[in-house]
Amino acid sequence: MMREVAVVSFAQSASVRAEDTRNEVEILMPVVHEAIERSGIGRKEIGFTMSGSCDYLAGAPFAFVSGLDAVGAWPPIRESHVEMDGAWAMYEAWVRLQHGDIDSALVYAFGKSSLGDLPDVLVLQLDPYYVAPLWPDAVSIAALQARAWLDAGHTEEEMAGVAARSRKAAMANPMAQVKGDHAVSDLMREPYLVSPLRRHDCPPISDGAAAVVLAAGDLARRVCERPAWIRGIDHRIEAHSLGVRDLATSASTRLAAERAGVDGAIDVAELHAPFSHQEPILREALGLGDGVDVNPSGGALSANVMMAAGLTRVGEAAERVIDGRAGRAVAHATSGPCLQQNLVCVLDGGVAA
Amino acid sequence: MPGRAASRFLRGIEQGKILGQRCPSCRKVYVPPRGACAACGVATDEEVQLGDKGTVTTFCVVNVPFYGQKIEIPYVSATILLDGADIGLMHLIQEVAATDVHMGMRVEAVWCDPADRKPTLESILHFRPTGEPDAPFDSYREYV
């Protein structure tokens, strides 16, 4: 029997193309403070602190350590870090809370991509023998996947439709970076950035941070009127090599969804699909019907803070459960090239069956 | 991208001023400031101008030559606790024999010509002994 754990609060910074004056800690600190304040749990009462970030973005080893300046790690705290999106940090925090000896966890993530050339920095996550030496930038790699998906019987209009819907949804999200009301036909007239991707098929480059607070059982019920209970969470990885898997589908998402308990009762889905063609791939793998409200926040096409965009999906989904807009939501996070790794989390506001 | 606090510090250096920041919670003064008190986890927005005198808390005599070395060996790299600061600043000690540098030694900054000052700690060429009596160990034991 798994211990009941819920998301009880969420905070995020506005996503911007370049934070010209603030460093990572200066961006992160107000977000961490806001998440803790909203949780109703005292900062010193938080049992575990968990972060997700990537030193390659700052270009300095152990850059993640400075993130702790935003938390105040004295006297010493229980703390850990993943060199991944904060969604995976949340996974580790959830596992830690299963131990049963502590009842709450702060999870934060931050990324400042404006410091470098992000599409090139992301090359460093590729297989270092056969792919990375060719320096295929992140947009070109995603274009390979988009081409495979189009060849499987889809259209560029479907991609533009995802972009148009995301940007329109983002108009209601004050933290989003790219928003607007566009006709699909107008988007289709734009030139290719890297065929078959147009600019609107690609995510913006973003600086920002996000944080959630998890609480277990009675503590969650005490501090939150309607906690977003984590009813299932699972993470699956596919082969690193791009040539040995079908890029037009997402087997790992499908498996993670099964294990996490994604079912027909989902009403909101926050999917981490940085490129437009990835959303329908994920929808299919998750088995989401037409009635599901997908990416009401605008998703990663509207704001894509590296290392925080996945955790933001969890936070956006949880917030809708907490405030009652959603009954049962699914949050998804991805990592690696072309949806290589996928994490699926089911959040529910109801009492466990 | 140094951030707001470090940018203020570097602009101060350009003008011959050493600027720190005080934590509103524990009252400690950080220099160079990073905009946050790592111990308390709160923003440090109160600016404090520090003098350019301090005390050597610990040091290292460099005897190893390396490619690109600009200073004649042996030379001394030291942690200097500026008066009024609560964290040591790393810099060079010059104008004294390496063998004479010691803990508690009082030192002062030697700035480069105002026309040459840039937003970098290199605008302070080095620190040198002030000739004052040594600071008592208790005055800096917390910072060693």
Side-chain angles (χ1 to χ4, degrees):
Chain A
M1 176 68 188
M2 285 295 177
R3 194 175 186 216
E4 281 191 304
V5 172
V7 178
V8 295
S9 73
F10 168 55
Q12 62 180 318
S13 70
S15 291
V16 296
R17 174 61 184 84
E19 277 276 2
D20 287 326
T21 59
R22 296 192 297 173
N23 65 19
E24 286 88 338
V25 176
E26 290 165 335
I27 299 168
L28 179 61
M29 181 174 281
V31 173
V32 163
H33 288 200
E34 187 184 341
I36 292 175
E37 194 170 308
R38 283 186 182 182
S39 77
I41 300 170
R43 189 163 64 87
K44 295 290 177 191
E45 276 73 62
I46 298 274
F48 185 53
T49 298
M50 189 65 218
S51 59
S53 67
C54 177
D55 285 359
Y56 282 81
L57 298 179
F62 294 93
F64 69 91
V65 177
S66 70
L68 279 172
D69 286 5
V71 177
W74 186 264
I77 59 172
R78 294 185 193 90
E79 175 270 334
S80 187
H81 172 260
V82 289
E83 192 76 5
M84 293 191 79
D85 188 288
W88 277 266
M90 186 211 59
Y91 191 117
E92 184 173 326
W94 177 83
V95 170
R96 182 63 187 83
L97 290 175
Q98 295 302 321
H99 294 194
D101 58 322
I102 54 174
D103 297 328
S104 59
L106 164 71
V107 182
Y108 65 82
F110 59 96
K112 199 170 170 184
S113 299
S114 62
L115 297 173
D117 186 338
L118 184 63
D120 280 348
V121 170
L122 289 173
V123 173
L124 299 170
Q125 70 178 331
L126 300 170
D127 144 44
Y129 302 107
Y130 299 105
V131 185
L134 303 171
W135 283 91
D137 66 90
V139 177
S140 301
I141 288 280
L144 278 178
Q145 184 184 33
R147 178 59 65 199
W149 179 78
L150 289 169
D151 288 350
H154 300 277
T155 66
E156 292 174 22
E157 283 81 2
E158 287 175 70
M159 291 160 61
V162 170
R165 205 202 66 246
S166 297
R167 289 186 178 192
K168 191 163 184 185
M171 291 167 76
N173 178 358
M175 300 306 186
Q177 187 179 337
V178 180
K179 42 185 104 178
D181 198 353
H182 307 275
V184 170
S185 53
D186 289 343
L187 294 181
M188 287 299 293
R189 276 195 289 274
E190 285 182 28
Y192 289 123
L193 184 64
V194 179
S195 174
L197 300 177
R198 296 175 170 85
R199 191 164 289 283
H200 57 255
D201 295 312
C202 306
I205 293 174
S206 312
D207 288 350
V212 303
V213 173
L214 303 183
D218 289 342
L219 177 63
R221 278 181 279 270
R222 195 168 75 235
V223 297
C224 187
E225 198 176 318
R226 187 178 146 88
W229 297 106
I230 297 171
R231 293 295 179 217
I233 185 166
D234 202 81
H235 161 218
R236 300 284 151 171
I237 310 175
E238 287 175 64
H240 198 190
S241 176
L242 297 166
V244 301
R245 57 189 170 102
D246 178 5
L247 296 178
T249 61
S250 182
S252 54
T253 303
R254 188 184 310 277
L255 193 54
E258 278 171 28
R259 300 298 179 105
V262 175
D263 54 23
I266 301 290
D267 40 33
V268 167
E270 278 287 336
L271 309 183
H272 188 191
F275 294 90
S276 63
H277 64 275
Q278 293 175 337
E279 187 189 292
I281 293 175
L282 292 168
R283 263 178 192 261
E284 192 207 1
L286 289 157
L288 300 178
D290 291 339
V292 179
D293 186 5
V294 174
N295 286 347
S297 69
L301 281 168
S302 308
N304 190 38
V305 177
M306 291 304 298
M307 304 299 131
L311 183 64
T312 300
R313 304 281 73 72
V314 175
E316 290 280 4
E319 205 160 66
R320 282 166 175 78
V321 171
I322 290 168
D323 67 20
R325 278 177 290 170
R328 190 170 173 87
V330 61
H332 159 272
T334 195
S335 181
C338 300
L339 304 174
Q340 187 212 357
Q341 310 192 29
N342 293 282
L343 182 149
V344 175
C345 174
V346 174
L347 298 154
D348 200 308
V351 180
Chain B
M1 180 61 58
R4 281 179 187 161
S7 295
R8 288 279 305 159
F9 170 79
L10 292 169
R11 293 293 172 211
I13 289 288
E14 200 173 18
Q15 295 157 28
K17 291 188 292 194
I18 303 176
L19 300 175
Q21 284 186 344
R22 190 190 308 278
C23 171
S25 175
C26 68
R27 309 298 295 162
K28 287 195 190 305
V29 172
Y30 291 89
V31 61
R34 289 158 44 83
C37 173
C40 301
V42 295
T44 51
D45 22 30
E46 183 193 336
E47 197 162 271
V48 180
Q49 184 171 348
L50 298 159
D52 51 12
K53 282 187 187 175
T55 302
V56 173
T57 61
T58 185
F59 65 97
C60 151
V61 181
V62 179
N63 284 296
V64 184
F66 55 87
Y67 180 77
Q69 200 162 41
K70 290 176 184 163
I71 311 160
E72 202 177 320
I73 56 171
Y75 67 89
V76 177
S77 179
T79 300
I80 297 149
L81 184 67
L82 292 174
D83 296 345
D86 288 287
I87 193 162
L89 184 81
M90 260 237 304
H91 219 296
L92 301 167
I93 310 290
Q94 303 259 280
E95 300 185 41
V96 57
T99 47
D100 290 339
V101 175
H102 53 272
M103 290 169 70
M105 180 182 248
R106 294 284 297 158
V107 292
E108 65 188 358
V110 178
W111 294 81
C112 70
D113 190 85
D116 297 334
R117 278 180 203 153
K118 293 191 171 64
T120 156
L121 260 184
E122 287 177 18
S123 294
I124 296 175
L125 297 171
H126 54 261
F127 281 74
R128 69 179 169 210
T130 62
E132 295 167 279
D134 285 357
F137 181 64
D138 279 348
S139 70
Y140 61 91
R141 68 183 303 157
E142 217 193 306
Y143 306 98
V144 174

